[in-house]
Amino acid sequence: MRKLVAGKLHGIEVTEANLNYHGSITLDPDHCEAASILPMEFVEIWNKNSGARISTYVILGERGSRCCILNGAAARTCQPGDQIIICNSLYLDEAQITTLKPRIVTFDPDNHIRDRLSYSVGLDGQGRYSFCILDEANAAFAIPALVSRT
């Protein structure tokens, strides 16, 4: 079994940091559903502003609020206005990797959904892995690549 990305909220902005609440991250249910993140599911959080990385669990806030609130100890790692990445994962047999289609959601500065993407792994004719990012129309999305050094 391998630990793989299941879904991701990429670039969502922290709307509040509440040190005195009893832990977790509070998220808009609409955002969670868009990325297949469940209530009480453990997630990894990566702060794009500071580089901080933490793990906590999800609680659902008010639907449509676009909230992203770090609570308890997590509030020490992220402040309002910080852009973060929230990622859930699952364990999957490697032979099933081509069936996995993680949903990736990106955001504008007001936490409105900007893009709905998915990751896709395939096998080429020689049995080697291929990877692409697809938009909602299943068109390939650009992937950063190493530039030639000639």
Side-chain angles (χ1 to χ4, degrees), residues 58-116:
V58 172
I59 60 175
L60 299 180
E62 182 181 334
R63 188 172 296 277
S65 66
R66 300 185 319 273
C67 68
C68 178
I69 305 167
L70 278 291
N71 301 304
R76 296 260 186 223
T77 65
C78 301
Q79 295 303 303
D82 285 355
Q83 278 194 357
I84 62 174
I85 300 165
I86 302 166
C87 183
N88 65 346
S89 58
L90 55 74
Y91 288 91
L92 190 69
D93 185 287
E94 185 177 342
Q96 296 176 300
I97 193 169
T98 58
T99 66
L100 181 63
K101 304 295 182 225
R103 292 193 281 179
I104 314 309
V105 181
T106 68
F107 295 88
D108 71 13
D110 293 318
N111 285 351
H112 290 101
I113 293 174
R114 177 181 291 154
D115 297 302
R116 296 173 191 262

Side-chain angles (χ1 to χ4, degrees), residues 31-54:
H31 293 160
C32 291
E33 290 164 5
S36 297
I37 296 173
L38 299 172
M40 298 188 296
E41 182 171 15
F42 272 88
V43 292
E44 301 292 323
I45 300 171
W46 307 313
N47 188 319
K48 290 176 70 175
N49 294 62
S50 70
R53 292 174 171 254
I54 62 168

